[in-house]
Amino acid sequence: MFSLNEFWYLLVSILFVGFIFLEGFDFGIGMVSRFLGRNDLERRAFINTIGPFWDANEVWLISAIGAMFAAFPNWYATLLSGSYVLFVFLLLSLIGRGVAFEFRGKVEKQAWKNAWDWVIFFGSLFPPLIFGILFSALMKGLPVERNMQMNAGFSDIVNLYTITGGVTLTMLCLWHGLIFATIRTMDDIRDRSRKVAMKLLPINALLLLIFSGMTFFETDLFSNHSRLMLYTFFIGIFVYLLAGFFLTRKKDGWAFAMSGLILILSISSIFAGLFPTVLVSSINQSYSLTIHNAASGNYSLKIMSYAAIALLPFVLGYQIWSYYVFRKRVDHKEHMEY
């Protein structure tokens, strides 16, 4: 029978997957706008493509962390306290990026706008890199002790495997953002975005293959869930080929769906592969945190479940409606600023 612990693990997983899918193209747009935009009007056009959405997309992260805190307080406490420095950089990046979106158009001096454009670039680069490192560290294992304390050194979190995971996720978000630009922009900007997205196809394919191979040797995901991971791997290859096919045929909407599905498959396979573990201990497997020893009491989970089921449809409905309202393509020739 489907337990409340499993329900909340599924909900936390969906929230993180939704965040990476939605905020992934925001990060990609933030990274490409500084270099693919040839002038201020074009850079503004890139930013305007995500202007109505980026702040709502970040709510998925707040909800995911909040759900972790409420449903799995031991997971929340051990992970966030043990990787405190990374989360500080993550928050500073997200705060700086949000401020830059609001401030870059307040003064018409080019130096002012250039400064905020760099903040947008780094504020969009660091979060997917940090999340890729953290997700990879979750799979590889961290030094969690018997009392659920984690005393992780630098090399425990930042190493060749986790950096590869961080770079892979960052490049996937960059690619996802470029394809998003093809369905939200017009004329030369759209064509340039599609061209760069095509150039990233072999690069990202190589990164995904390298990281998948490293995951096979560095983690227990394939040994614990071999059939699931193999199915996901081969489905991912098929979806990636479809993305390339649709890009070459200029079927931008379908290409965006495929790039999003690649991110969904990548992140969901991490949570599915870890289940029922939420934090692998590299010291002793018996010290690992699971959906059982890291969870809140049954009564708390039951009350939170009622609230989540009641409120979630309204939140999803509002966000779907906002995407529908702002579905029109952005014309870089129009002077507008979100």
Side-chain angles (χ1 to χ4, degrees), residues 74-83 137-153 156-157 277-290 293-294:
N74 292 324
W75 182 18
Y76 171 91
T78 303
L79 179 62
L80 270 72
S81 63
S83 49
L138 285 178
M139 292 188 288
K140 184 178 175 65
L142 290 165
V144 180
E145 300 172 356
R146 183 195 296 269
N147 59 357
M148 298 187 183
Q149 295 293 320
M150 184 172 77
N151 296 308
D156 291 317
I157 299 177
T277 305
V278 295
L279 191 55
V280 178
S281 173
S282 58
I283 298 175
N284 190 317
Q285 284 288 339
S286 64
Y287 300 162
S288 298
L289 302 187
T290 69
N293 64 11

